[in-house]
Amino acid sequence: MMIFFRLLSRLPLPALYIFSDLIYLIARFVIRYRKKVIDENILHAFPQLTAIERKQVRNRFYRNFTDTFAETIKMLTISEAELRQRFHVVNQELIDQEVQKGRSALMMAGHVFNWEMAILGVALETKVTAETVYLKLNNAFFNQLMLEIRTHFGGVMTEKREFRKSMITMRSDPRIVHLAADQRPPSKERRYLRTFMNRPAYFFEGGEFMAKKMGLPVFFGKMQKVKRGHYRFEFTKLADAPYADSATHSITDRFCELLEENIRNQPDLYLWSHKRWKV
């Protein structure tokens, strides 16, 4: 089956978009994929929009959501030249410099399309080691497929449960650590409840804990879609040591502010089908 996906990945991206166009029509008009969840999330996030405007956001979301399948399959075999042409990383040197000085740096981002391409784009552009913390998929084949895609240009993937062991080496082996910081944490985890896009939502605070415990700089990854299949990803510094006088939750709060700004700039890029706000 892996051979099938490799052969499929060899097709030009415009050809793969034909498949995503079909999936888009099925998702939008046939199965109406998670329509109730999407509509509710968009309504709460953008109450000022008219019903027509919210419908437009939902339909563009479906397009971005299904295009992500085509783009992610393409990344299994994409060339360096094509990825650089399609995914432009801005300010990579800012976070690289921190690691080159001898300390790890955290990069916090949200589920803004196409975050999978960001894993490869950063791994390709960085001059240092880039590690991404991920949640293991239940299906063994697709978990392996995603690992092969995400490590195509040398990025390091560490499963969330294994990251505690990896974290011990962050001082002796400086690197970029990429956290998808808008995951909804389970009730057994330490959680922080705050307002996000007009509704209460829980957040992991692993990034905040590591940054303040180890004195690490934190960067935010802002995603922008330029046109179909082309993205711009920009690093900005979110916080830095010393944190002695920083307020509790200061890093997570700032992350949420920046992510909300990113979402409001291009609402259809966020993962609205995610049951993010179920508390």
Side-chain angles (χ1 to χ4, degrees), residues 36-251:
K36 184 177 179 180
V37 172
I38 296 166
D39 284 345
E40 181 182 355
N41 287 342
I42 295 174
L43 173 61
H44 283 278
F46 299 101
Q48 76 280 10
L49 297 182
T50 66
I52 292 175
E53 290 170 332
R54 291 195 301 272
K55 181 179 178 181
Q56 290 172 342
V57 172
R58 182 227 302 156
N59 293 340
R60 289 196 300 267
F61 159 78
Y62 277 135
R63 172 66 70 189
N64 290 318
F65 180 68
T66 54
D67 275 1
T68 296
F69 296 143
E71 293 163 1
T72 301
I73 289 171
K74 183 61 189 174
M75 286 188 289
L76 184 60
T77 60
I78 196 169
S79 68
E80 291 187 11
E82 183 174 0
L83 182 59
R84 284 197 169 99
Q85 190 241 339
R86 293 186 174 279
F87 196 87
H88 180 48
V89 182
V90 180
N91 293 335
Q92 180 69 56
E93 69 280 0
L94 295 184
I95 193 167
D96 281 3
Q97 287 169 6
E98 300 289 352
V99 180
Q100 289 163 345
K101 292 174 186 175
R103 62 174 180 167
S104 291
L106 302 182
M107 193 277 279
M108 299 171 69
H111 283 86
V112 181
F113 298 119
N114 183 342
W115 66 84
E116 293 291 349
M117 198 177 283
I119 295 174
L120 265 71
V122 171
L124 180 60
E125 292 297 328
T126 185
K127 302 296 190 295
V128 300
T129 301
E131 176 183 26
T132 299
V133 182
Y134 76 100
L135 293 174
K136 187 176 182 179
L137 299 178
N138 292 327
N139 184 287
F141 170 77
F142 284 106
N143 188 68
Q144 184 59 37
L145 175 65
M146 291 307 299
L147 283 175
E148 292 202 20
I149 289 171
R150 291 164 170 171
T151 58
H152 181 41
F153 291 116
V156 176
M157 300 299 300
T158 303
E159 207 278 324
K160 181 177 176 287
R161 288 172 295 184
E162 298 296 317
F163 181 63
R164 287 186 177 88
K165 299 175 185 176
S166 173
M167 192 170 67
I168 297 171
T169 66
M170 287 177 66
R171 292 188 191 277
S172 59
D173 183 19
R175 57 194 182 272
I176 298 170
V177 177
H178 175 192
L179 303 172
D182 62 339
Q183 293 278 10
R184 178 172 166 261
S187 58
K188 63 183 178 181
E189 300 267 356
R190 178 194 289 181
R191 307 188 297 177
Y192 167 44
L193 182 65
R194 59 152 286 148
T195 299
F196 177 65
M197 299 302 294
N198 301 324
R199 277 196 290 173
Y202 281 111
F203 286 85
F204 283 111
E205 286 210 287
E208 174 126 6
F209 173 80
M210 282 189 291
K212 291 183 175 178
K213 186 76 173 178
M214 300 175 154
L216 306 179
V218 184
F219 289 79
F220 177 77
K222 176 184 176 181
M223 185 76 75
Q224 177 187 3
K225 185 171 185 176
V226 180
K227 60 181 179 179
R228 196 179 198 185
H230 294 261
Y231 300 86
R232 183 181 187 274
F233 188 74
E234 181 177 1
F235 284 107
T236 56
K237 184 169 279 190
L238 186 157
D240 202 353
Y243 294 109
D245 297 324
S246 297
T248 306
H249 313 301
S250 60
I251 293 175

